[in-house]
C-alpha cells in the first residue's frame, strides 16, 4: 500500500544542495514526489511510497545535505490520490 507525506523543512536548507540530496535520497528509497524551495527560505516536499521508506525519508530530512543545517521538520500524512512518475525538483 502506498502512503504520502508532506513535509516542511526549516533552517539553512537553501543554497546547500538540499533539494538535490533530497531527490537522490527519495529515488534511492524508491519514493516518488517532488521537492521545492519556498520564498521564505524553507523547503517543501511531498513523497509517496511504502511506509518504511517514508520513515527513512523523514529521518533523512532531519539530517539534510552535508552543508545544510536543519532546525525543524514538520510532516503530515496526506490522503491525496495524486500519483507521481518520479521524484522531481520543482522551481
Amino acid at each position: 500500500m502506498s502512503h504520502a507525506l508532506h513535509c516542511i523543512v526549516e533552517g539553512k536548507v537553501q543554497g546547500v544542495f538540499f533539494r538535490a540530496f533530497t531527490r537522490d535520497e527519495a529515488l534511492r528509497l524508491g519514493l516518488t514526489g517532488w521537492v521545492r524551495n519556498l520564498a521564505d527560505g524553507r523547503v517543501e516536499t511531498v513523497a509517496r511510497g511504502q511506509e518504511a521508506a517514508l520513515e527513512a525519508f523523514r529521518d533523512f530530512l532531519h539530517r539534510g545535505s552535508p552543508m545544510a543545517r536543519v532546525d525543524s521538520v514538520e510532516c503530515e500524512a496526506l490522503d491525496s490520490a495524486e500519483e507521481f512518475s518520479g521524484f522531481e525538483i520543482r522551481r
Side-chain angles (χ1 to χ4, degrees), residues 22-55:
T22 299
R23 179 200 56 216
D24 292 349
E25 182 67 7
L27 292 172
R28 186 187 74 73
L29 292 168
L31 301 173
T32 60
W34 52 265
V35 61
R36 70 178 172 191
N37 286 341
L38 297 175
D40 63 5
R42 298 178 301 162
V43 169
E44 178 181 28
T45 186
V46 170
R48 177 174 288 287
Q50 297 300 312
E51 193 169 350
L54 289 172
E55 287 301 318

Short mmCIF file of all heavy atoms in Angstrom, two decimals, residues 22-55:
data_model
loop_
_atom_site.label_atom_id
_atom_site.label_comp_id
_atom_site.label_asym_id
_atom_site.label_seq_id
_atom_site.Cartn_x
_atom_site.Cartn_y
_atom_site.Cartn_z
N THR A 22 17.90 15.61 -1.44
CA THR A 22 16.58 15.09 -1.13
C THR A 22 16.05 14.23 -2.27
O THR A 22 15.54 13.13 -2.05
CB THR A 22 15.60 16.25 -0.83
OG1 THR A 22 16.10 16.97 0.31
CG2 THR A 22 14.20 15.75 -0.56
N ARG A 23 16.20 14.72 -3.50
CA ARG A 23 15.77 13.93 -4.66
C ARG A 23 16.53 12.62 -4.74
O ARG A 23 15.93 11.55 -4.92
CB ARG A 23 15.98 14.72 -5.95
CG ARG A 23 15.55 13.93 -7.20
CD ARG A 23 16.18 14.46 -8.47
NE ARG A 23 17.63 14.46 -8.32
CZ ARG A 23 18.42 15.40 -8.82
NH1 ARG A 23 17.94 16.39 -9.54
NH2 ARG A 23 19.73 15.34 -8.63
N ASP A 24 17.84 12.68 -4.57
CA ASP A 24 18.66 11.46 -4.66
C ASP A 24 18.28 10.45 -3.58
O ASP A 24 18.18 9.25 -3.86
CB ASP A 24 20.15 11.81 -4.54
CG ASP A 24 20.66 12.61 -5.74
OD1 ASP A 24 19.94 12.72 -6.76
OD2 ASP A 24 21.78 13.14 -5.64
N GLU A 25 18.01 10.92 -2.37
CA GLU A 25 17.63 10.01 -1.29
C GLU A 25 16.25 9.42 -1.56
O GLU A 25 16.02 8.22 -1.33
CB GLU A 25 17.64 10.74 0.06
CG GLU A 25 17.30 9.87 1.23
CD GLU A 25 18.32 8.79 1.54
OE1 GLU A 25 19.41 8.76 0.92
OE2 GLU A 25 18.03 7.96 2.43
N ALA A 26 15.32 10.22 -2.04
CA ALA A 26 13.98 9.73 -2.36
C ALA A 26 14.05 8.64 -3.43
O ALA A 26 13.40 7.60 -3.31
CB ALA A 26 13.09 10.88 -2.82
N LEU A 27 14.84 8.87 -4.46
CA LEU A 27 14.98 7.87 -5.52
C LEU A 27 15.63 6.60 -4.99
O LEU A 27 15.22 5.49 -5.33
CB LEU A 27 15.77 8.45 -6.69
CG LEU A 27 15.07 9.56 -7.47
CD1 LEU A 27 16.02 10.19 -8.47
CD2 LEU A 27 13.82 9.04 -8.15
N ARG A 28 16.63 6.74 -4.13
CA ARG A 28 17.29 5.58 -3.54
C ARG A 28 16.30 4.75 -2.73
O ARG A 28 16.36 3.52 -2.73
CB ARG A 28 18.44 6.04 -2.64
CG ARG A 28 19.29 4.91 -2.09
CD ARG A 28 20.32 5.40 -1.08
NE ARG A 28 19.73 5.74 0.19
CZ ARG A 28 19.27 4.87 1.10
NH1 ARG A 28 19.35 3.58 0.86
NH2 ARG A 28 18.76 5.28 2.25
N LEU A 29 15.34 5.42 -2.09
CA LEU A 29 14.34 4.75 -1.26
C LEU A 29 13.14 4.26 -2.07
O LEU A 29 12.24 3.63 -1.52
CB LEU A 29 13.86 5.69 -0.15
CG LEU A 29 14.89 6.04 0.92
CD1 LEU A 29 14.40 7.19 1.78
CD2 LEU A 29 15.21 4.80 1.76
N GLY A 30 13.11 4.57 -3.37
CA GLY A 30 12.00 4.13 -4.21
C GLY A 30 10.76 4.99 -4.07
O GLY A 30 9.64 4.52 -4.35
N LEU A 31 10.93 6.24 -3.65
CA LEU A 31 9.80 7.15 -3.48
C LEU A 31 9.56 7.98 -4.73
O LEU A 31 10.47 8.18 -5.54
CB LEU A 31 10.06 8.10 -2.30
CG LEU A 31 10.28 7.43 -0.94
CD1 LEU A 31 10.69 8.46 0.09
CD2 LEU A 31 9.03 6.69 -0.51
N THR A 32 8.36 8.48 -4.88
CA THR A 32 8.02 9.43 -5.93
C THR A 32 7.52 10.71 -5.26
O THR A 32 7.13 10.70 -4.10
CB THR A 32 6.94 8.88 -6.88
OG1 THR A 32 5.75 8.61 -6.12
CG2 THR A 32 7.40 7.62 -7.58
N GLY A 33 7.55 11.81 -6.03
CA GLY A 33 7.06 13.07 -5.49
C GLY A 33 7.86 14.24 -6.00
O GLY A 33 8.34 14.24 -7.14
N TRP A 34 8.06 15.23 -5.13
CA TRP A 34 8.78 16.44 -5.53
C TRP A 34 9.34 17.18 -4.31
O TRP A 34 8.94 16.92 -3.17
CB TRP A 34 7.89 17.37 -6.35
CG TRP A 34 6.55 17.70 -5.71
CD1 TRP A 34 5.37 17.06 -5.94
CD2 TRP A 34 6.27 18.73 -4.76
NE1 TRP A 34 4.37 17.64 -5.19
CE2 TRP A 34 4.91 18.67 -4.45
CE3 TRP A 34 7.05 19.70 -4.13
CZ2 TRP A 34 4.29 19.53 -3.55
CZ3 TRP A 34 6.44 20.57 -3.22
CH2 TRP A 34 5.07 20.48 -2.95
N VAL A 35 10.26 18.10 -4.58
CA VAL A 35 10.84 18.98 -3.56
C VAL A 35 11.01 20.36 -4.19
O VAL A 35 11.30 20.46 -5.39
CB VAL A 35 12.19 18.43 -3.02
CG1 VAL A 35 13.24 18.30 -4.12
CG2 VAL A 35 12.70 19.26 -1.86
N ARG A 36 10.79 21.41 -3.40
CA ARG A 36 10.97 22.77 -3.92
C ARG A 36 11.32 23.73 -2.79
O ARG A 36 11.01 23.50 -1.62
CB ARG A 36 9.70 23.25 -4.62
CG ARG A 36 8.54 23.52 -3.68
CD ARG A 36 7.34 24.05 -4.43
NE ARG A 36 6.19 24.12 -3.55
CZ ARG A 36 4.97 24.34 -3.95
NH1 ARG A 36 4.72 24.51 -5.23
NH2 ARG A 36 3.97 24.40 -3.10
N ASN A 37 12.00 24.84 -3.18
CA ASN A 37 12.28 25.92 -2.26
C ASN A 37 11.04 26.77 -2.11
O ASN A 37 10.29 26.97 -3.07
CB ASN A 37 13.41 26.81 -2.80
CG ASN A 37 14.77 26.17 -2.69
OD1 ASN A 37 14.98 25.24 -1.93
ND2 ASN A 37 15.71 26.67 -3.47
N LEU A 38 10.83 27.32 -0.92
CA LEU A 38 9.77 28.28 -0.67
C LEU A 38 10.39 29.67 -0.56
O LEU A 38 11.57 29.81 -0.20
CB LEU A 38 9.02 27.92 0.61
CG LEU A 38 8.28 26.58 0.59
CD1 LEU A 38 7.68 26.28 1.97
CD2 LEU A 38 7.20 26.58 -0.48
N ALA A 39 9.61 30.69 -0.83
CA ALA A 39 10.10 32.07 -0.84
C ALA A 39 10.63 32.50 0.53
O ALA A 39 11.48 33.38 0.61
CB ALA A 39 8.99 33.02 -1.30
N ASP A 40 10.17 31.88 1.60
CA ASP A 40 10.59 32.28 2.95
C ASP A 40 11.85 31.56 3.45
O ASP A 40 12.22 31.67 4.61
CB ASP A 40 9.44 32.10 3.94
CG ASP A 40 9.01 30.64 4.08
OD1 ASP A 40 9.65 29.75 3.49
OD2 ASP A 40 8.01 30.40 4.79
N GLY A 41 12.51 30.79 2.57
CA GLY A 41 13.76 30.13 2.94
C GLY A 41 13.61 28.68 3.36
O GLY A 41 14.60 27.99 3.57
N ARG A 42 12.38 28.21 3.49
CA ARG A 42 12.15 26.82 3.85
C ARG A 42 12.10 25.96 2.59
O ARG A 42 12.10 26.47 1.48
CB ARG A 42 10.83 26.66 4.61
CG ARG A 42 10.82 27.44 5.92
CD ARG A 42 9.49 27.33 6.65
NE ARG A 42 8.41 27.84 5.81
CZ ARG A 42 7.12 27.57 6.01
NH1 ARG A 42 6.73 26.81 7.02
NH2 ARG A 42 6.21 28.06 5.19
N VAL A 43 12.09 24.64 2.78
CA VAL A 43 11.96 23.69 1.68
C VAL A 43 10.72 22.84 1.94
O VAL A 43 10.47 22.42 3.08
CB VAL A 43 13.22 22.80 1.55
CG1 VAL A 43 12.98 21.64 0.60
CG2 VAL A 43 14.40 23.63 1.07
N GLU A 44 9.94 22.60 0.88
CA GLU A 44 8.73 21.79 0.95
C GLU A 44 8.92 20.55 0.10
O GLU A 44 9.49 20.62 -0.98
CB GLU A 44 7.55 22.60 0.43
CG GLU A 44 6.24 21.85 0.40
CD GLU A 44 5.10 22.68 -0.15
OE1 GLU A 44 5.35 23.59 -0.99
OE2 GLU A 44 3.96 22.42 0.23
N THR A 45 8.41 19.43 0.58
CA THR A 45 8.50 18.20 -0.18
C THR A 45 7.25 17.34 0.03
O THR A 45 6.64 17.38 1.10
CB THR A 45 9.78 17.39 0.17
OG1 THR A 45 9.88 16.26 -0.69
CG2 THR A 45 9.80 16.96 1.61
N VAL A 46 6.87 16.63 -1.01
CA VAL A 46 5.81 15.63 -0.95
C VAL A 46 6.41 14.34 -1.48
O VAL A 46 7.04 14.33 -2.54
CB VAL A 46 4.58 16.04 -1.79
CG1 VAL A 46 3.59 14.88 -1.91
CG2 VAL A 46 3.91 17.26 -1.19
N ALA A 47 6.24 13.27 -0.71
CA ALA A 47 6.79 11.98 -1.12
C ALA A 47 5.71 10.91 -0.99
O ALA A 47 4.88 10.96 -0.08
CB ALA A 47 7.99 11.61 -0.26
N ARG A 48 5.73 9.96 -1.92
CA ARG A 48 4.77 8.85 -1.92
C ARG A 48 5.55 7.55 -2.03
O ARG A 48 6.50 7.44 -2.81
CB ARG A 48 3.81 8.99 -3.09
CG ARG A 48 2.83 7.81 -3.18
CD ARG A 48 1.79 8.03 -4.25
NE ARG A 48 0.82 9.04 -3.88
CZ ARG A 48 -0.15 8.88 -2.98
NH1 ARG A 48 -0.27 7.74 -2.34
NH2 ARG A 48 -1.00 9.85 -2.74
N GLY A 49 5.13 6.56 -1.23
CA GLY A 49 5.77 5.25 -1.29
C GLY A 49 5.38 4.39 -0.11
O GLY A 49 4.40 4.67 0.59
N GLN A 50 6.18 3.38 0.13
CA GLN A 50 5.92 2.45 1.23
C GLN A 50 6.23 3.14 2.56
O GLN A 50 7.11 3.99 2.67
CB GLN A 50 6.78 1.20 1.07
CG GLN A 50 6.47 0.41 -0.18
CD GLN A 50 5.01 -0.06 -0.20
OE1 GLN A 50 4.51 -0.60 0.78
NE2 GLN A 50 4.34 0.16 -1.32
N GLU A 51 5.50 2.75 3.59
CA GLU A 51 5.60 3.40 4.90
C GLU A 51 7.02 3.38 5.46
O GLU A 51 7.52 4.38 5.98
CB GLU A 51 4.63 2.75 5.88
CG GLU A 51 4.44 3.54 7.13
CD GLU A 51 3.28 3.04 7.97
OE1 GLU A 51 2.51 2.19 7.50
OE2 GLU A 51 3.18 3.50 9.11
N ALA A 52 7.71 2.25 5.35
CA ALA A 52 9.08 2.16 5.88
C ALA A 52 10.02 3.10 5.14
O ALA A 52 10.89 3.73 5.76
CB ALA A 52 9.59 0.72 5.78
N ALA A 53 9.85 3.24 3.83
CA ALA A 53 10.68 4.15 3.05
C ALA A 53 10.39 5.60 3.43
O ALA A 53 11.30 6.42 3.50
CB ALA A 53 10.44 3.93 1.56
N LEU A 54 9.13 5.92 3.70
CA LEU A 54 8.77 7.27 4.11
C LEU A 54 9.36 7.60 5.47
O LEU A 54 9.80 8.74 5.70
CB LEU A 54 7.26 7.45 4.12
CG LEU A 54 6.59 7.49 2.75
CD1 LEU A 54 5.08 7.47 2.90
CD2 LEU A 54 7.04 8.69 1.95
N GLU A 55 9.42 6.64 6.38
CA GLU A 55 10.05 6.87 7.69
C GLU A 55 11.54 7.14 7.52
O GLU A 55 12.10 8.03 8.17
CB GLU A 55 9.80 5.68 8.62
CG GLU A 55 8.39 5.61 9.14
CD GLU A 55 7.97 6.85 9.91
OE1 GLU A 55 8.77 7.38 10.72
OE2 GLU A 55 6.82 7.31 9.69
#
